[in-house]
Amino acid sequence: MTDQEKDDVGKQANNFAKYTGMAFQMLATIGLFTFIGYKIDERQPHNKAIYAALFGFLGVVVSLYWVIRSLTKKRNLNK
């Protein structure tokens, strides 16, 4: 294996770890926000999971913001 091939394999492994970490961060963020909404819904007198849905959507928005910010920051550093 040449040095170039070793570098390519190392970059692929680094990218895999980075993007897998981002996916788990998104999952945790969405799950946490949804759990908070679920707990609020448990204390309310209505039968619908309104807060769980709203907080779940907010979790999606926040996690996408963090991912986009992270990707654009990395791109600007590489220029």
Side-chain angles (χ1 to χ4, degrees), residues 2-23:
T2 66
D3 288 338
Q4 180 65 29
E5 290 172 341
K6 288 180 184 178
D7 287 343
D8 289 343
V9 170
K11 286 180 183 178
Q12 289 175 351
N14 188 24
N15 284 338
F16 178 76
K18 177 175 62 174
Y19 293 124
T20 302
M22 281 185 189

Side-chain angles (χ1 to χ4, degrees), residues 17-74:
K18 177 175 62 174
Y19 293 124
T20 302
M22 281 185 189
F24 281 113
Q25 181 182 2
M26 287 181 72
L27 181 65
T29 303
I30 295 167
L32 178 67
F33 273 76
T34 304
F35 179 74
I36 291 170
Y38 176 76
K39 287 299 182 181
I40 293 172
D41 280 330
E42 280 184 343
R43 297 183 185 270
Q44 299 298 322
H46 54 74
N47 293 333
K48 297 180 182 174
I50 295 170
Y51 289 103
L54 289 175
F55 274 74
F57 180 73
L58 182 63
V60 170
V61 171
V62 168
S63 65
L64 283 175
Y65 170 75
W66 283 344
V67 167
I68 291 170
R69 188 184 70 176
S70 173
L71 291 175
T72 55
K73 185 170 75 172
K74 302 262 189 220

